[in-house]
Amino acid sequence: MTTTAPSFRSVFRMGEFRALWLAHVLSVAGDQLVRVALTVLVFNRTASAGWAAGTYALTYLPDLLGGALGGLADRFPRRTVLVVADVVRALLVALMAIPGMPWPIAAGLLVVVQLAAGPFQAARQAVLPDMLGEEKLATGQAILSSTYQAALVIGFGAGAAVVAWLGVSGALWADAVTFAVSAAALRWGLRLYPVAKVAEHVPQWASLKAGCRLVARDRKLRSLLAIACCCGFYVVPEGLAVPVAAQLGGTGVLGWLLVANPVGTLLGALLISRLPRARQVRWLGPLAVASSLVLLPTGWTPALPMVVAVWTVSGMFSAHDLITQVQYSLAAPPEQRGQVIGVAIAALRAAQGLTIAAAGALALAFAPTTVVAIAAVAGAGCAGLAGIAWARAVRADRAVRPRRTPLDGATPPPAP
């Protein structure tokens, strides 16, 4: 049994993964570009910061509905879902780029663009276990997570530069091209990946309910989703970064606060991906607790370097999310993997939105740094309960596993 994780190089040797990675890069770039471009368009047309902020929020809200469309990845070949989603997004963004397009219509098109991201993300995550196998899955997930975090660090600045260089319409045309190139890379770079057992054709709402019931019944899926939703607590600093910056020294320090978590998560993903798989499983609960708990010193209103340091360390611990994603994908039945992942996407967005909204309400009565400390305590408590549930699920799975493996003469793997 391999004791060390496969290297990034060994995963990148796979042509299919390179195609999927390229599509991931282009998708992230496209998402960032359309957010910046349309926000600038709305602000230029309305001169209203409120409308501009509301337009930016539209890029996140559709994920709550997009989770219901994750089941499409269980009905059609997953490459087909990926390609069609990219083609749809390319066409819609091209419509948005037409000069003189009324901004309310462009905002409505943006909602549909983001809805198409739901089945795309579900299909991409569903295809990874089949493409990489259990041995390389964690490394592949770490590459994708690291790419995403690196894009967050540089994405908004690059997006603003592209809009300044090409103008809003030109930037949207460039965005449409990114989705078109992504579709081509997936179409000719991936096998079809049909679903071995196609789910019975049912309405999307019924498919979503079936996915929710499956997650609720399965101990592993249930505990993993609970751990994942604890991210709502340790993203509170992101939601309160502006008032925290004002409390610590003004908007001049905002940039340091905004990049702290993505930089930490990038570093954490690189480190966690090198851990043996059994150790990743064993450390998942403690890492989830630490992601929130380490934010507690923020409440003491220390100097800026201390806040940046603890937020960065929180980001490093929060890279446990790649372990959660890997274990969640492996625990989901292959024929329902897309819908189960869609449920997770919707749940995560809901957890983040509700927690940040609650933090904003608390910030009306308490100092922003105090609210971060409250979120740290609450998040650590919830993560502790979810981690205990995960440990029990692993022990229960370990207890029944030896009964299954001797049938093929294989030696049961050592327990994590």
Side-chain angles (χ1 to χ4, degrees):
M1 178 180 175
T2 304
T3 57
T4 58
S7 66
F8 282 18
R9 182 180 301 178
S10 69
V11 175
F12 266 116
R13 287 197 189 105
M14 304 174 65
E16 286 192 306
F17 182 80
R18 291 197 300 272
L20 192 69
W21 177 81
L22 175 61
H24 179 64
V25 172
L26 293 171
S27 178
V28 173
D31 286 345
Q32 298 286 66
L33 195 52
V34 75
R35 285 169 182 157
V36 175
L38 196 60
T39 302
V40 171
L41 172 66
V42 171
F43 186 75
N44 289 343
R45 298 274 182 88
T46 66
S48 168
W51 280 115
T55 301
Y56 187 81
L58 283 176
T59 64
Y60 290 99
L61 293 177
D63 280 341
L64 294 174
L65 300 175
L69 302 177
L72 294 174
D74 299 327
R75 295 184 182 178
F76 303 99
R78 281 157 183 163
R79 186 188 70 186
T80 301
V81 176
L82 290 166
V83 173
V84 170
D86 266 343
V87 170
V88 167
R89 290 190 286 182
L91 293 174
L92 292 175
V93 173
L95 286 176
M96 293 165 59
I98 296 175
M101 173 69 67
W103 71 263
I105 296 178
L109 291 172
L110 176 62
V111 172
V112 184
V113 169
Q114 293 303 119
L115 280 175
F120 181 91
Q121 293 170 5
R124 183 186 63 207
Q125 193 67 26
V127 84
L128 281 174
D130 297 328
M131 176 189 296
L132 299 177
E134 190 171 346
E135 285 294 328
K136 293 183 178 179
L137 181 57
T139 302
Q141 189 65 62
I143 293 172
L144 296 180
S145 298
S146 301
T147 300
Y148 178 74
Q149 294 300 329
L152 288 183
V153 175
I154 65 175
F156 290 116
V162 171
V163 172
W165 177 37
L166 299 177
V168 172
S169 182
L172 289 172
W173 279 115
D175 188 23
V177 170
T178 65
F179 287 122
V181 174
S182 174
L186 292 167
R187 170 60 182 81
W188 284 284
L190 262 64
R191 287 171 287 164
L192 195 58
Y193 285 102
V195 182
K197 180 182 177 183
V198 179
E200 181 184 354
H201 184 73
V202 295
Q204 282 300 132
W205 178 246
S207 176
L208 177 61
K209 289 195 295 184
C212 292
R213 285 196 299 268
L214 174 60
V215 173
R217 288 196 307 263
D218 188 284
R219 297 180 66 175
K220 271 193 169 184
L221 290 174
R222 188 171 65 242
S223 58
L224 287 167
L225 185 57
I227 289 175
C229 286
C230 289
C231 71
F233 295 101
Y234 53 80
V235 300
V236 164
E238 179 182 331
L240 295 181
V242 173
V244 169
Q247 185 180 347
L248 295 181
T251 56
V253 306
L254 179 60
W256 291 101
L257 298 177
L258 289 177
V259 302
N261 186 276
V263 168
T265 306
L266 175 60
L267 295 174
L270 296 175
L271 294 173
I272 288 176
S273 67
R274 307 312 303 156
L275 292 174
R277 192 168 66 251
R279 191 171 299 174
Q280 291 181 5
V281 172
R282 189 163 59 246
W283 285 9
L284 178 55
L287 287 171
V289 173
S291 299
S292 292
L293 190 59
V294 74
L295 293 170
L296 186 58
T298 305
W300 304 334
T301 318
L304 175 67
M306 176 62 73
V307 174
V308 172
V310 297
W311 288 18
T312 302
V313 174
S314 173
M316 293 179 67
F317 287 135
S318 75
H320 72 268
D321 181 59
L322 73 89
I323 306 174
T324 310
Q325 292 181 50
V326 168
Q327 295 301 319
Y328 193 83
S329 297
L330 293 175
E335 68 275 9
Q336 290 182 274
R337 190 180 292 147
Q339 185 59 77
V340 168
I341 291 171
V343 170
I345 292 172
L348 290 178
R349 286 303 190 190
Q352 291 172 336
L354 291 173
T355 309
I356 290 177
L362 283 174
L364 297 176
F366 301 96
T369 50
T370 302
V371 176
V372 174
I374 294 172
V377 174
C382 291
L385 294 174
I388 292 172
W390 164 246
R392 289 175 176 172
V394 170
R395 285 197 297 269
D397 183 66
R398 183 196 312 166
V400 301
R401 195 186 311 163
R403 301 173 193 169
R404 299 173 182 168
T405 53
L407 295 178
D408 58 7
T411 301

